[in-house]
Amino acid sequence: MNKKLIAVLSAFSLCVSMTACSNKNNDTSKESKAGSTNISTTTNKNATTLLSKSSEEVETIRNIGTYIKLSDNNTTVEGSGVDVDGNVITINTAGTYSISGKLSDGQIIVNTDKEKKTYILLDGVDITCKSNSPIQILSSEKTVFAIADDSENKISDGETYDKAENNQDAAIFSKEDLTFIGNGYLQVNGNYDKGIVSKDDLMIESGNISVKSVADGIKGKDSIVVRGGKLTIDAGGDGIQAYNAEEEDKGYVSLEDGTIKITAEQDGVQAETNLLVAGGNIDITTGGGSKNSSSKDGWGQWDGGKPGESMKSNTTETEDTTSAKGIKASSVIQVDDGSINIDSSDDSIHSNSKLIVNNGDFNLSSGDDGTHADAELEINGGTLNITKSYEGIEATDITINDGDIHVVSSDDGLNAAGGADGSSTNGRPGQNKMESTTSGTATINGGYLVINANGDGLDANGNLTMTGGTAIVNGPTNGGNGSLDYDGDFNMSGGTLIAAGSLGMAQTPSSSSKLNTINVSLTSQEANTLIRVESENGDDIVTFSPAKTYSSVVICTPNIKSKETYKVYVGGSCSGKEKDGLYSGGSYTKGTEVGSSEISDVITNITQEGVSSNSNQPGGVGGNRGEKMTPPSGNNSSMENM
C-alpha cells in the first residue's frame, strides 16, 4: 500500500517537473498564442489564457504516511495525524495518507495547516454521507487526491443536507486548492447539488473521473484546469464552471489535454473570464442538443414585410430561456488545438468578448449560433464544420485568415453586426438578435469557406472585404434574402468568390474592387444544375454545381481579365473532380448558353433570356436592402442582344 502511494506521487512529481521545465522554456501564460500567427494581439492583452500556470513540483516524500481503513463505526488508523469520531474521520496534520474501505454514512474531513499540502491516495473507497459532503477540505494549502491504479472509488451524498457554517454544496467540497492525479477510477454522485467544488483552483492532471450531479458537475472559483485523464460529466446544471468574476486573472478555464465528455442541461463549459482549449478530445451535449433549439422555429423567418425591415419572430413566446451553450466565456475564448464536438440547444461556442480559433477540429450542431462573439471573431486555422445552426458565424467584426470552414444555417451563414447577441443574456424569442448599434465588418484574407444558408450567405452591417482565400455561398432560395448582403462596401482585391442564390435581393462586390465580377441573372435553375463560365477559347474559369435552387450567380476571381470575352452556360455535365460543387479539370459537355460579354468594367452583367425586368434586380453595387435596386454599372448582355 505504501509503495503504491509513493509510486503515484513520484510519477506525479516527475510529470509536473517536466511540465514546469516545458513551461519555463515556452512560457505562453502571459500572452496569447495567437501571436504565432502574426496577427496583432493588442486587443487580447487581458486574455490570460492562456496556458494556465504550471503545477508546483511535489516535494520529496520523507514520511511513508498514514493508512486509514474505513469501516462503519470501526475505522482503523495506522500512523498519526487522524482523529476518528464514529464515521467522521478528520485529517488534522498535513502529510500523506492512504484510504480504502467503505462508509455507508460518514465523512472524510481535511483540516490541516494552511501553509502545507496534503496528499491522499484513494485506493478502493466507497463513501456515502446522507446529510452533508462526504469529503470536505476545510483548511490546507492544497489537497492532492491520487487515484490508485486499477482501483475503483465512489463518493456519494444524499438529497438533503444538514448544512454547517461552510455552506457545503457538493459531494467533494473544498475551500482550498484541489488537484486530482493517478490512473484509477473515481465516481462522484452529487445528489444534493454539485459534484466537485473548489473555492480556489481546481486541477485534473489525470485519472478516470465520472461525475453525475443534479446541478453543476465540476465548479472551481478561481480556475479549472484539465491536463489529462478521462472526464465524464452528466450535470443538471453546467458541466464545468469557473465563476470568479471579481479578479481579472481568475475565473478562467483551461482545457489542455485528455478526453472530456459532458452532458449538461445548461452550459457545457463556462468561464467567467477567459477560456483556453489547447488540446484533447472534447464532446459536449447541452440542453438536450440542437433538436431543442433555443432560437425557436419562428426566428429569422421573413414575415412578408417590405425589404429592409428587420426580420421578426412569428412566435409570441416571451419567457426567458436557460443558457445551454456548449463552450462559453465572458471574456476571450481561444482554441489552439483539439477535437471538439458540440451538440447544443443554444450557441455552440459563445464569447461575450472575443473568440480566436488558431487550430482544431470542430464539429458543431447548434440550435442557435454555431460560433458567436459579441465583439471580434478571428479564425486563423483549423477545420470548422457547422452542420446545423441558426446563424453559423456571428460577431461584430469577423476576420478569416485561414482554415477549412463549412457552415449550414437556417438564417445567415456569416453575420457581421454590431451589438450583443440577445442569447448572451438569455434573450427572449421574438427579440431581434444582434440588433445593430454599430457597423459590423467581415474580412476574408485566406482559408476555404463554404456556406449553405437559408438566410443571407455573407452578411455585414458595414463593409465586406476579401483579399484571399475561397468563399462559396449556396442560398438563399427566398427573395427576401441574398447570397451577399452588406450596407457599406464590398471590396475584393484577391481570392475567389462564388455566390449562388435567389435573384430578388442579390448584390455584387463593389465597383471599387480590384478584381472583376461577372453577375449572372437566370430563370430559376434546379439545385445541382451546372453553371459554367469559360474564356472565349473554352478555358474553364468556373464550373459550379449549386447545392440549392438558384437564379443569381456572382463570380469574382483573378482569372476574369479585362478586355477579354467570357461565355456563360447552364446545364451540361463535367467529368472533372468535384469538391463542394466546384469542379476542376476534366471535360465539359456544354449545356445552354446564357450569354457572353467582353469585360470592360469591374462589374459585368449577363442576363438569361426570359428573366423578367421585375425580377432582374441584381442589386446595385453597395445597394442597401430596402432601397430600390438598379443594375450595377457595366455591360448587361443577354441572349436577346445576341
Side-chain angles (χ1 to χ4, degrees):
M1 185 64 62
N2 291 330
K3 290 182 179 179
K4 186 179 291 186
L5 174 61
I6 294 174
V8 172
L9 293 175
S10 297
F12 177 57
S13 176
L14 176 60
C15 172
V16 177
S17 297
M18 294 173 65
T19 303
C21 291
S22 174
N23 285 347
K24 182 177 180 181
N25 294 329
N26 300 281
D27 185 10
T28 56
S29 62
K30 297 295 180 65
E31 64 179 1
S32 165
K33 290 185 72 176
S36 62
T37 64
N38 296 319
I39 303 300
S40 172
T41 58
T42 55
T43 59
N44 196 26
K45 288 181 179 178
N46 294 328
T48 56
T49 42
L50 70 173
L51 282 168
S52 65
K53 54 188 178 182
S54 302
S55 302
E56 296 178 5
E57 185 175 358
V58 178
E59 64 266 24
T60 303
I61 307 300
R62 299 184 182 278
N63 192 324
I64 291 178
T66 297
Y67 173 53
I68 302 170
K69 176 63 175 177
L70 303 176
S71 180
D72 285 337
N73 298 311
N74 192 30
T75 294
T76 58
V77 177
E78 297 179 12
S80 60
V82 180
D83 289 334
V84 178
D85 183 5
N87 278 356
V88 178
I89 290 83
T90 302
I91 297 172
N92 53 39
T93 303
T96 60
Y97 299 83
S98 177
I99 305 177
S100 64
K102 179 177 180 178
L103 292 178
S104 58
D105 188 12
Q107 289 179 291
I108 300 292
I109 298 174
V110 177
N111 193 11
T112 66
D113 190 334
K114 202 173 180 65
E115 304 301 319
K116 295 182 179 180
K117 300 181 183 69
T118 299
Y119 304 93
I120 298 174
L121 179 71
L122 300 177
D123 190 12
V125 302
D126 185 348
I127 305 172
T128 298
C129 185
K130 298 178 180 179
S131 59
N132 214 310
S133 300
I135 293 181
Q136 295 181 43
I137 293 91
L138 303 180
S139 179
S140 173
E141 179 187 351
K142 175 192 289 186
T143 298
V144 178
F145 283 104
I147 309 169
D149 291 359
D150 301 321
S151 69
E152 295 186 4
N153 305 272
K154 184 177 179 181
I155 309 295
S156 306
D157 61 6
E159 295 181 359
T160 59
Y161 272 21
D162 294 331
K163 282 195 172 183
E165 68 276 7
N166 296 301
N167 295 317
Q168 299 92 335
D169 59 356
I172 298 178
F173 175 86
S174 177
K175 295 178 67 177
E176 312 290 356
D177 291 347
L178 187 60
T179 295
F180 292 88
I181 64 172
N183 297 309
Y185 295 85
L186 172 62
Q187 179 181 343
V188 180
N189 298 315
N191 298 306
Y192 169 70
D193 197 338
K194 302 172 184 64
I196 301 173
V197 167
S198 170
K199 295 294 184 178
D200 280 321
D201 296 316
L202 195 157
M203 180 179 292
I204 297 174
E205 291 276 358
S206 57
N208 297 279
I209 301 174
S210 175
V211 178
K212 184 175 178 59
S213 60
V214 297
D216 299 335
I218 296 179
K219 190 168 183 176
K221 182 177 182 181
D222 291 348
S223 71
I224 294 180
V225 177
V226 179
R227 285 188 168 151
K230 183 177 180 181
L231 182 60
T232 303
I233 300 173
D234 185 349
D238 294 340
I240 292 175
Q241 183 193 107
Y243 63 97
N244 188 338
E246 288 73 38
E247 300 177 72
E248 187 176 311
D249 61 341
K250 304 290 186 181
Y252 66 88
V253 174
S254 184
L255 308 179
E256 300 169 14
D257 205 351
T259 299
I260 302 170
K261 182 177 176 60
I262 298 173
T263 303
E265 288 300 313
Q266 298 182 23
D267 297 323
V269 181
Q270 180 186 1
E272 281 299 323
T273 55
N274 299 305
L275 193 153
L276 171 71
V277 179
N281 295 291
I282 301 169
D283 192 319
I284 299 173
T285 301
T286 64
S290 58
K291 64 183 180 182
N292 296 327
S293 172
S294 64
S295 66
K296 306 300 180 184
D297 291 339
W299 282 38
Q301 300 300 314
W302 187 50
D303 63 358
K306 297 178 182 179
E309 290 182 339
S310 298
M311 290 182 291
K312 299 175 183 179
S313 171
N314 296 324
T315 179
T316 57
E317 189 175 0
T318 58
E319 69 268 18
D320 289 344
T321 58
T322 299
S323 177
K325 299 172 176 62
I327 293 175
K328 182 175 79 172
S330 296
S331 190
V332 176
I333 297 176
Q334 180 169 312
V335 182
D336 289 337
D337 208 349
S339 175
I340 302 168
N341 298 289
I342 298 176
D343 185 9
S344 57
S345 66
D346 207 333
D347 297 351
S348 288
I349 302 178
H350 178 104
S351 169
N352 288 353
S353 177
K354 183 174 183 178
L355 169 60
I356 305 170
V357 176
N358 290 323
N359 201 0
D361 187 358
F362 299 79
N363 285 284
L364 310 179
S365 179
S366 172
D368 203 339
D369 298 336
T371 58
H372 173 96
D374 284 358
E376 300 172 67
L377 195 157
E378 182 180 293
I379 302 175
N380 300 313
T383 300
L384 183 60
N385 189 22
I386 301 174
T387 59
K388 179 183 178 182
S389 66
Y390 172 68
E391 290 185 330
I393 300 172
E394 183 178 68
T396 301
D397 296 302
I398 299 169
T399 302
I400 298 175
N401 295 309
D402 202 354
D404 189 337
I405 307 163
H406 288 73
V407 175
V408 177
S409 65
S410 60
D411 195 48
D412 299 343
L414 181 150
N415 183 35
D421 183 351
S423 64
S424 66
T425 55
N426 298 331
R428 299 180 179 90
Q431 291 178 330
N432 294 325
K433 288 163 53 66
M434 287 290 286
E435 294 181 15
S436 178
T437 57
T438 61
S439 294
T441 65
T443 303
I444 301 173
N445 298 316
Y448 182 79
L449 173 65
V450 180
I451 290 175
N452 187 320
N454 285 341
D456 298 322
L458 298 176
D459 187 355
N461 282 5
N463 296 328
L464 282 168
T465 302
M466 191 165 178
T467 67
T470 298
I472 299 173
V473 179
N474 292 283
T477 58
N478 67 82
N481 293 288
S483 298
L484 307 175
D485 179 16
Y486 60 96
D487 295 336
D489 295 314
F490 182 6
N491 285 309
M492 284 196 64
S493 60
T496 296
L497 169 70
I498 304 170
S502 57
L503 182 59
M505 302 294 285
Q507 286 183 283
T508 68
S510 300
S511 59
S512 54
S513 293
K514 294 182 180 180
L515 299 185
N516 295 319
T517 293
I518 294 178
N519 179 45
V520 185
S521 299
L522 303 162
T523 59
S524 180
Q525 303 294 318
E526 293 295 324
N528 302 314
T529 300
L530 288 179
I531 181 164
R532 163 91 168 189
V533 177
E534 64 180 39
S535 70
E536 196 170 20
N537 296 326
D539 296 330
D540 181 23
I541 303 302
V542 166
T543 303
F544 180 57
S545 173
K548 294 184 173 184
T549 300
Y550 67 97
S551 53
S552 168
V553 181
V554 176
I555 299 169
C556 184
T557 166
N559 294 328
I560 300 174
K561 306 295 184 181
S562 297
K563 298 182 180 180
E564 294 188 9
T565 298
Y566 297 91
K567 295 182 180 180
V568 177
Y569 298 87
V570 291
S573 61
C574 184
S575 63
K577 183 178 180 181
E578 182 266 341
K579 178 183 178 183
D580 297 312
L582 187 61
Y583 285 81
S584 59
S587 60
Y588 174 65
T589 301
K590 295 187 184 303
T592 302
E593 184 175 345
V594 173
S596 66
S597 183
E598 180 182 346
I599 307 300
S600 59
D601 289 315
V602 172
I603 311 297
T604 298
N605 299 302
I606 297 179
T607 303
Q608 184 180 26
E609 183 179 3
V611 176
S612 68
S613 58
N614 289 333
S615 63
N616 183 17
Q617 295 180 344
V621 176
N624 295 320
R625 178 167 298 180
E627 297 177 358
K628 182 178 180 181
M629 305 215 189
T630 58
S633 60
N635 295 331
N636 191 349
S637 175
S638 71
M639 289 293 291
E640 293 174 328
N641 299 324
M642 294 185 65

